[in-house]
Amino acid sequence: MAVQQLDLEVTGMTCAACQSYVQKTLREQPGVLDASVNLMTNSARVVIDPDKARTEAILEAVEEGGYGASVVDTDVSVLERQALMRAARRQEQATLARKAAVTLTIGFAGVAMMMAPAAMHHTRMNWLWLIITTLVLPWAGERFYRAAYAAARHGTSNMNTLVALGTGAAYLWSAFATAFPHALHRHGINADVYFEAVIFILGFMLLGKYLESRAKGRTGEALEKLACLQPKTARVRRGDDVVDVPIETIQLGDTLVIRPGERMPVDGEVISGFSAVDESMLTGEPLPVDKRPGDLVIGGTVNRSGSLDVRATALGRHTVLARILKLTYDAQAAAAPIQDLADRVSARFVPAILAIAALTFVVWFATGGLSQLPRAISAAVAVLIIACPCAMGLAVPTALMVATGRAAQFGILIRGGPSLQKLEEANTLVFDKTGTLTHGKPSVVEVHAQIEERELLCYAAAAEARSEHPLAVAIVEYVRSKSIPVAEATEFESFAGSGIRARVSSHVVHAGNYRFLTEHGIEVNDLPDGAGGRSFVYIAVDQRHVGTFVLSDTVKPDAPLAIAKARALSLKPVLLTGDNRSTAQAIAKEVGITEVIAEVLPQGKLEAISGLQAEHETVVMVGDGVNDAPALARADVGVAMGTGTDIAMEASDVTVLRGELALVPEVVRLARRTMHLIRQNLWWAFGYNIIAVPLAAGVFYPFTGWQLNPAIASAAMAFSSIAVLLNSLRLARWTPS
């Protein structure tokens, strides 16, 4: 069965109940296999069977519930989407701030007037409050009343229902008490009014929404910072001129001129110049990387020193920066399994609160009769206002947004909630050897010289410079790293699989394996230890053996640190490789791994992973993302080490762009911290309501003589959501150690 993914933008959601309703509605539609809705990003991800599902019907179902829905335009890059979201959020914040400021100012001014020595008679004050509240109520509470009405039309309820019922009941009672006080007095009922409570409830709700929006913006700061890396214009060479053009007009193959201090506008290949490029914002690597002709540069990175001419090789959503943003954005839309708990509670929460508010009113009225009617109304309104499920809806996605965004700033791409939750449960780290624990290419580790070493290096590099064999390339790189110039050789001749012969100055140089030299009548008088998978290149000058290069696929410098960190987190490291056992054990001993699974084919790697999982172990497989793809897929979490320019970025659960092994245990540490904060958020969201609702209902009144005022209840409700957001923002300080 063919499966298609549909990404939707959903507007009008304000709390966990909204999120739960939209998600339930989507999952009930024909042809929908699964749906996940994210309150933080106002998005939904729907998996459908395209033969059975109709996109129009899915959108109509959401809209019938009082929400807006549209299909995300795949031609719009995440960079552009972030800019639109940022502009919309700023506009929303400006509106919320203005309404909150006006409403609260009116509230405090009215209270000050009532407390003034020369205050007017309370009857006239009540009429003044009635006029003010009647004017303020539809203006300040428009967003809540519209949403509550839309939900009621379709037989559902949400946070806006609680606010609308609470403020509406308080307003109508106060208006009746103001207009007909004597009717209440004849029945022994105090004509108490709650106009100031209505004003303060709306003011605090708006202030809470404003602060919540600000905090939500901070949870996406990491993504915002990445999106802002791309410059708006670029300098392009047009014939003999260099002109500034908008980045949208750059075409593939254009030559870009990048001056010192400027950011790369798009991905490209250096065609002239030399410079050091700061890639830290994308990879987390603090040291600039030298770039010369033929090297690739990534859009958004900073040119530090020299001037570069760069040919554009990738544009728009095909650049590495855009792909990183897309993966990070997608990760924030992927809910963790723990979100299901919050969703189940939220779906039943608002109806339960409505029932509790009704019960509160009935109990207070029944215990005191008509004389307790004002208190019964006050208690019911306080219950409606204080029990907002916003904190439940924010508990999981806020932490995920901050964690995945912060990780992206250090070049760690995490696919989202399910991956983070599995990482937290991990107890076994399985490492591939070649390209993961080791560099994946030979390097010179020893030089045995029987003549002056510099002279040996000169002969070897000159002879090997024209060879493309990996061992020859490694020798030439080693010599160049010593700042020794490489001379030009003549009469070069290659012998496949064994060695080369060349003339350097007036001398004949042979370079190759032991058999190659002996076949050419040269006696090799130095045979280094061949243990540990090492390779040897013997050098002879004029038929005399003058030295030997020992080469090996060397261990990455941070590999021992990565293993030590893993053990500190109680993770069991395992080496899994197709290489021979002696080489594998030598590498394992060097980095500190005791459990080795060697000499296995790709199918054997799958069986090894399955075997570990059968022992009730949660396995994280770390590989290079290409030849380890099956094992990465079989593991509970696959971690790809690489530059992020290949399929590894798309196939793995986690991608470490800079290929630094010591970051792998740090990802597990981040996952554990994130899940810890998510549980804290959920405990706070649930615990707050368990305590706050009885307090508002007056359960403790017989013992304390104190009951929660509706205005204070609204402030407490706003604080509950902000507390969850601020707790999640603690993850923004996370840094790999």
Side-chain angles (χ1 to χ4, degrees), residues 110-120:
V111 171
M113 287 172 58
M114 292 171 62
M115 298 175 64
M120 68 178 73

Side-chain angles (χ1 to χ4, degrees), residues 168-208:
Y171 171 78
L172 291 174
W173 166 262
S174 301
F176 183 85
T178 299
F180 307 103
H182 301 298
L184 296 176
H185 292 157
R186 281 197 302 269
H187 293 87
I189 304 172
N190 291 328
D192 296 336
V193 296
Y194 301 102
F195 291 123
E196 76 281 2
V198 172
I199 295 290
F200 278 119
I201 287 169
L202 291 176
F204 283 129
M205 288 292 297
L206 290 166
L207 178 62

Side-chain angles (χ1 to χ4, degrees), residues 12-18 21 65-67 141-170 201-202 205 209 346-347 349-355 357 380-390 717:
M13 295 190 299
T14 57
C15 67
C18 301
Y21 173 81
Y67 304 93
E142 178 190 15
R143 61 186 287 134
F144 306 113
Y145 301 131
R146 282 183 182 275
Y149 174 69
R153 279 179 52 215
H154 300 285
T156 185
S157 56
N158 53 40
M159 179 272 289
N160 302 291
T161 306
L162 303 181
V163 176
L165 285 176
T167 56
I201 287 169
L202 291 176
M205 288 292 297
K209 286 295 176 187
S346 299
F349 185 80
V350 174
I353 291 301
L354 292 173
V381 169
V383 169
L384 291 171
I385 295 300
I386 204 168
C388 174
C390 289
M717 185 281 299

Side-chain angles (χ1 to χ4, degrees), residues 543-593:
Q543 295 297 109
R544 183 170 72 91
H545 176 219
V546 295
T548 305
F549 287 83
V550 183
L551 299 97
S552 178
D553 183 5
T554 55
V555 166
K556 291 182 178 178
D558 65 332
L561 175 62
I563 304 306
K565 282 185 174 186
R567 292 192 185 281
L569 292 170
S570 300
L571 297 166
K572 181 177 74 174
V574 177
L575 175 58
L576 177 63
T577 179
D579 211 339
N580 67 75
R581 182 164 297 278
S582 63
T583 299
Q585 288 178 335
I587 295 295
K589 182 178 180 181
E590 188 173 347
V591 300
I593 295 177

Side-chain angles (χ1 to χ4, degrees), residues 71-136:
V71 178
V72 173
D73 187 355
T74 55
D75 291 331
V76 177
S77 70
V78 177
L79 285 163
E80 296 169 306
R81 204 177 308 160
Q82 284 295 114
L84 294 172
M85 289 174 60
R86 183 164 58 248
R89 187 168 58 246
R90 285 175 179 167
Q91 185 176 356
E92 179 195 41
Q93 288 171 2
T95 301
L96 289 169
R98 182 174 64 255
K99 289 189 175 184
V102 171
T103 306
L104 290 174
T105 299
I106 291 172
F108 284 115
V111 171
M113 287 172 58
M114 292 171 62
M115 298 175 64
M120 68 178 73
H121 189 270
H122 74 275
T123 301
R124 294 180 180 177
M125 180 64 74
N126 286 352
W127 279 104
L128 178 61
W129 269 115
L130 175 58
I131 295 170
I132 292 172
T133 308
T134 303
L135 294 173
V136 170

Side-chain angles (χ1 to χ4, degrees), residues 501-520:
R501 180 173 59 199
R503 182 173 294 277
V504 179
S505 298
S506 58
H507 304 281
V508 176
V509 178
H510 289 78
N513 57 30
Y514 175 80
R515 188 180 65 181
F516 175 71
L517 262 65
T518 55
E519 286 178 350
H520 284 79

Side-chain angles (χ1 to χ4, degrees), residues 463-505:
E464 296 280 28
R466 295 175 61 181
S467 172
E468 296 180 354
H469 193 280
L471 297 182
V473 172
I475 289 173
V476 175
E477 287 181 355
Y478 176 78
V479 173
R480 283 183 172 147
S481 71
K482 301 288 186 181
S483 300
I484 297 174
V486 178
E488 188 75 25
T490 59
E491 300 178 20
F492 177 83
E493 189 177 3
S494 176
F495 298 83
S498 56
I500 59 96
R501 180 173 59 199
R503 182 173 294 277
V504 179
S505 298

